[in-house]
């Protein structure tokens, strides 16, 4: 896993994505991990041919960036927010937290991963004043042994949040959404679907049953919206439109 | 005003139909657009079997044009069957035009037979794809005999009205139109994309599309598309679905005056968002009401009637 820092003046809101282009290889949507109008950060794991090619780049190499696209996470000043990130979902949540604490929000930042070395952004979050880090790992190598959702559940028994934000594996987000719904707390969920164009024309990221393209309707959508998304937590579609279960 | 219009015996609630290739992969998407004002829905091109598309980037869009090489990805007829069934359940009163495609002439027979069982209101045939049996992979749509042969083969295995979608990349679109109509085409869709075109990223000196070149559509091609529709309407007496860069109600009316009965909405979804159908229709109605037009059918081929009837431009 690497974080790439680009000289890039895009004005990006946390939760938005950019399409990253390597000529003659491919172009993929990537959630922005940080941007301030001068730099743009992307945290990318080495998981396939495209990300492998990214990892082989050297400092000074150029890539194509277009965007930013999609809807961002939103918050009001001085809110109490729980952020639940799984795996690489922590990156856009960190970006959101960075802005939210400046607006006087207090944040419980709950991240989970299979094991300690897969936890990302721990150090960055620990440095944020106003954010409290909570960690879980499947193997118990650090923090709570089990799921981050269990931490959320426990915290919610002790305190009231104004907002829950989540980004990560969909099964985890579906669990977060259920808890938020039960406790009647507003939530924002960052949906991931197979996106090609990024601006609502190709139709590859349209979800059942609403039929909306998630690249423009989302990726961040409110809890009320995912309740209409029949496939949420159940299945997604591939580049040909075929369904695959989570 | 009553915005409905008849096309090959099918009543469309309004003349604006989704162009094939935009969005339409799933029943939910078709239904969503129907509920947002589409008068008809054309599916993406359906292959008999799975067909991989191109890598990204597949679509480039700017204020002047759209250039795409998506590569016609599709999961094949089995997935399509599931989506049809689901769409029918939604029962929204908006007709479905199923667009089919094949690589060889025989493929069109097999896909037509499969689609025929699903009883869609209309079948649109995409013959702009390369003919894999042709030495140079020349599209069926660029040759009178090839276009006629595919039309005849499709027609021979279905009673559902068939519409042939023509390519503008020919010198003789009137002859092609006559050839497909003589072979049994019930209607014509015009036009498919121009090109191919090339868009280069000057920072890397690389073509941006993964396929390097792509079909050009959008506002930049509108006058070219209107001319093709006019020429086809002058040459043959079948109803036409006209398309190419429609962005406003005035644009749609222009296509109807050139000879279109239905008008495709595609790039407008980029320029005006998912409300495009409703906005464009409202603009059409507003113009009609201000101009004393009581029904859209009155304006179909209007420009032909104000010119010398035998004129070609």
């Amino acid at each position: 896993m690497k974080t790439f820092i680009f000289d890039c003046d895009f004005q990006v809101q946390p939760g938005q994505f950019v399409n990253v282009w390597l000529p003659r290889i491919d172009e993929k949507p990537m959630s922005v991990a940080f941007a301030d109008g001068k730099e743009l950060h992307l945290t990318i794991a080495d998981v396939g041919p495209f990300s492998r090619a990214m990892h082989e780049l050297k400092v000074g190499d150029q890539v194509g960036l277009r965007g930013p696209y999609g809807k961002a996470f939103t918050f009001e000043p001085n809110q109490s927010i729980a952020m639940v990130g799984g795996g690489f979902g922590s990156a856009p949540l960190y970006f959101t937290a960075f802005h939210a604490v400046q607006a006087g929000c207090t944040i419980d930042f709950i991240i989970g991963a299979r094991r300690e070395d897969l936890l990302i952004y721990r150090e960055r979050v620990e440095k944020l004043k106003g954010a409290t880090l909570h960690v879980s790992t499947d193997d118990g190598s650090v923090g709570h042994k089990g799921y981050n959702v269990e931490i959320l559940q426990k915290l919610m028994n002790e305190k009231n949040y104004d907002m829950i934000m989540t980004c990560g594996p969909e099964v985890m987000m579906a669990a977060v959404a259920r808890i938020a719904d039960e406790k009647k707390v507003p939530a924002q969920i960052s949906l991931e679907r197979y996106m090609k164009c990024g601006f609502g024309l190709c139709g590859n990221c349209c979800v059942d049953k609403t039929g909306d393209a998630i690249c423009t309707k989302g990726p961040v959508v409110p809890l009320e919206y995912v309740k209409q998304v029949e496939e949420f937590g159940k299945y997604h579609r591939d580049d040909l439109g075929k369904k695959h279960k989570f | 005003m009553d915005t409905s219009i008849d096309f090959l015996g099918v009543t469309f609630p309004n003349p604006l139909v989704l162009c094939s290739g935009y969005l339409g992969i799933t029943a939910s998407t078709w239904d969503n657009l129907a509920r947002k004002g589409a008068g008809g829905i054309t599916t993406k091109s359906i292959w008999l079997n799975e067909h991989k598309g191109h890598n990204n980037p597949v679509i480039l869009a700017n204020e002047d044009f759209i250039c795409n090489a998506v590569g016609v990805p599709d999961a094949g007829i089995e997935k399509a069957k599931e989506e049809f069934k689901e769409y029918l359940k939604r029962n929204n009163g908006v007709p479905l035009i199923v667009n089919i495609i094949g690589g060889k002439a025989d493929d069109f027979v097999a896909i037509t037979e499969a689609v025929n069982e699903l009883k869609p209101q209309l079948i649109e045939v995409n013959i702009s794809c390369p003919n894999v049996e042709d030495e140079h992979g020349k599209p069926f749509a660029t040759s009178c005999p090839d276009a006629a042969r595919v039309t005849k083969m499709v027609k021979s295995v279905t009673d559902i009205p068939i519409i042939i979608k023509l390519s503008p990349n020919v010198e003789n679109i009137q002859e092609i139109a006559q050839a497909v109509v003589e072979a049994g085409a019930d209607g014509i869709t015009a036009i498919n994309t121009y090109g191919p075109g090339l868009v280069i990223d000057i920072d890397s000196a690389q073509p941006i599309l993964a396929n390097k070149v792509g079909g050009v559509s959008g506002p930049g091609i509108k006058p070219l598309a209107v001319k093709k529709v006019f020429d086809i309407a002058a040459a043959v007496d079948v109803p036409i679905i006209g398309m190419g860069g429609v962005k406003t109600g005035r644009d749609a009316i222009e296509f109807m005056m050139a000879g279109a009965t239905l008008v495709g909405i595609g790039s407008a979804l980029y320029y005006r968002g998912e409300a495009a159908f409703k906005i464009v229709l409202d603009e059409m109605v507003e113009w009609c009401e201000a101009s004393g037009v009581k029904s859209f059918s009155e304006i179909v081929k209007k420009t032909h009637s104000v010119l010398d009837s035998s004129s070609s431009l």
Side-chain angles (χ1 to χ4, degrees):
Chain A
M1 191 197 74
K2 277 187 189 172
T3 294
F4 297 80
I5 300 176
F6 299 99
D7 297 323
C8 175
D9 62 2
F10 288 2
Q11 299 295 323
V12 187
Q13 295 171 299
Q16 290 188 301
F17 66 96
V18 291
N19 271 21
V20 186
W21 176 51
L22 294 178
R24 312 274 70 80
I25 296 174
D26 209 342
E27 185 197 46
K28 295 282 183 192
M30 297 279 168
S31 193
V32 176
F34 184 78
D36 61 4
K38 295 186 214 80
E39 286 182 357
L40 187 146
H41 300 201
L42 299 173
T43 297
I44 301 173
D46 183 358
V47 293
F50 178 82
S51 49
R52 179 131 335 121
M54 283 294 296
H55 278 242
E56 283 163 9
L57 295 176
K58 289 183 276 305
V59 172
D61 286 348
Q62 281 198 328
V63 303
L65 295 177
R66 61 185 174 95
Y69 294 124
K71 303 281 190 294
F73 284 109
T74 56
F75 54 83
E76 303 286 330
N78 307 314
Q79 280 188 321
S80 169
I81 305 171
M83 295 188 181
V84 188
F88 299 98
S90 305
L93 288 177
Y94 164 76
F95 186 17
T96 314
F98 179 86
H99 284 277
V101 293
Q102 287 173 21
C105 296
T106 51
I107 295 163
D108 278 314
F109 201 100
I110 310 162
I111 53 177
R114 290 200 306 280
R115 33 171 228 273
E116 184 172 9
D117 60 310
L118 297 173
L119 284 168
I120 65 164
Y121 281 57
R122 257 167 85 191
E123 292 78 16
R124 288 203 196 195
V125 174
E126 275 167 347
K127 283 186 202 139
L128 284 182
K129 254 199 190 97
T132 309
L133 180 70
H134 307 265
V135 169
S136 73
T137 47
D138 291 7
D139 64 359
S141 51
V142 63
H144 170 74
K145 182 175 191 302
Y147 296 123
N148 53 5
V149 177
E150 292 157 2
I151 301 177
L152 174 71
Q153 193 115 44
K154 185 165 161 282
L155 288 169
M156 286 181 79
N157 290 333
E158 297 160 6
K159 61 203 275 193
N160 296 319
Y161 293 109
D162 300 312
M163 177 64 71
I164 298 172
M165 297 176 179
T166 183
C167 184
E170 193 150 312
V171 174
M172 176 207 87
M173 295 197 295
V176 172
R178 259 194 313 275
I179 295 168
D181 195 32
E182 276 164 25
K183 304 258 183 183
K184 305 266 176 291
V185 180
Q188 296 171 51
I189 292 111
S190 180
L191 291 175
E192 183 175 347
R193 286 295 178 272
Y194 197 110
M195 293 172 187
K196 290 177 183 171
C197 70
F199 42 80
L201 292 189
C202 77
N204 215 94
C205 65
C206 291
V207 290
D208 293 336
K209 220 173 205 191
T210 64
D212 293 314
I214 289 306
C215 65
T216 51
K217 189 79 181 181
V220 179
V221 294
L223 175 62
E224 295 69 44
Y225 184 77
V226 292
K227 285 162 79 175
Q228 301 164 47
V229 178
E230 187 181 79
E231 66 179 64
F232 177 61
K234 298 190 182 77
Y235 66 88
H236 60 107
R237 290 174 189 261
D238 63 17
D239 59 328
L240 301 181
K242 272 189 305 185
K243 294 175 187 175
H244 297 272
K245 284 188 181 152
F246 282 114
Chain B
M1 75 185 265
D2 175 8
T3 60
S4 68
I5 194 158
D6 176 89
F7 185 88
L8 292 171
V10 179
T11 303
F12 286 72
N14 71 66
L16 302 176
V17 301
L18 177 71
C19 300
S20 181
Y22 283 90
L23 286 162
I25 301 176
T26 67
S28 292
T29 312
W30 305 335
D31 185 47
N32 181 33
L33 294 171
R35 290 179 196 281
K36 288 186 172 128
I41 298 290
T42 316
T43 67
K44 278 204 180 188
S45 293
I46 294 167
W47 297 85
L48 191 61
N49 300 309
E50 268 189 31
H51 185 90
K52 273 274 181 199
H54 298 305
N55 271 0
N56 234 10
V58 292
I59 307 179
L60 308 174
N62 62 35
E63 62 188 25
D64 303 311
F65 64 83
I66 289 178
C67 187
N68 92 84
V70 182
V72 212
D74 182 49
I77 187 67
E78 290 310 317
K79 174 196 163 271
K81 281 182 185 166
E82 227 180 274
E83 304 294 343
F84 292 143
K85 242 187 274 164
E86 177 61 28
Y87 185 73
L88 293 177
K89 273 195 240 162
R90 307 289 180 102
N91 196 24
N92 56 29
V94 174
L96 193 64
I97 304 168
V98 173
N99 184 296
I100 57 169
I101 191 169
K104 308 194 291 289
D106 288 346
D107 294 351
F108 282 95
V109 171
I111 183 69
T112 306
E113 283 172 336
V115 164
N116 191 48
E117 287 172 31
L118 305 170
K119 303 270 169 262
Q121 279 102 333
L122 299 165
I123 295 174
E124 182 177 85
V125 190
N126 180 357
I127 58 169
S128 297
C129 47
N131 173 358
V132 296
E133 287 170 322
D134 181 271
E135 189 184 356
H136 306 290
K138 213 169 61 179
F140 297 100
T142 57
S143 137
C144 285
D146 285 348
R149 190 158 54 99
V150 171
T151 305
K152 205 170 271 174
M153 290 170 88
V154 169
K155 190 70 189 168
S156 70
V157 289
T158 184
D159 293 327
I160 294 167
I162 65 163
I163 311 159
I164 306 294
K165 186 166 184 176
L166 297 187
S167 163
N169 303 310
V170 295
E171 294 294 319
N172 57 341
I173 200 143
Q174 290 188 317
E175 286 166 36
I176 306 256
Q178 282 160 347
V180 299
V181 169
E182 274 161 31
D186 299 288
I188 284 175
T189 297
I191 53 172
N192 213 316
T193 52
Y194 266 91
L198 175 63
V199 180
I200 295 170
D201 166 55
I202 60 168
D203 294 314
S204 62
Q206 289 271 7
I208 304 179
L209 289 172
N211 187 51
K212 300 185 191 84
V213 297
V216 183
S217 59
I221 66 153
K222 198 193 75 181
L224 298 164
V226 171
K227 169 70 160 59
K228 295 290 186 201
V229 169
F230 186 96
D231 288 347
I232 294 164
V236 293
D237 195 20
V238 296
I240 298 167
I241 308 179
M243 58 185 61
V246 171
K247 206 160 74 172
T248 67
R250 296 182 73 91
D251 294 339
I253 286 166
E254 194 179 348
F255 270 94
M256 295 184 93
M257 289 186 169
T261 301
L262 299 178
V263 178
I265 291 288
S267 57
L269 292 163
Y270 177 74
Y271 299 105
R272 309 191 83 178
E274 60 180 14
F277 287 99
K278 195 178 173 318
I279 298 170
V280 173
L281 183 64
D282 286 350
E283 289 169 350
M284 291 173 81
V285 169
E286 197 181 319
W287 182 88
C288 285
E289 285 175 353
S291 310
V293 172
K294 300 211 164 38
S295 136
F296 286 131
S297 54
E298 287 174 38
I299 54 176
V300 176
K301 287 185 83 169
K302 179 110 189 257
T303 301
H304 296 257
S305 64
V306 302
L307 293 173
D308 177 352
S309 59
S310 62
S311 74
S312 64
L313 300 176

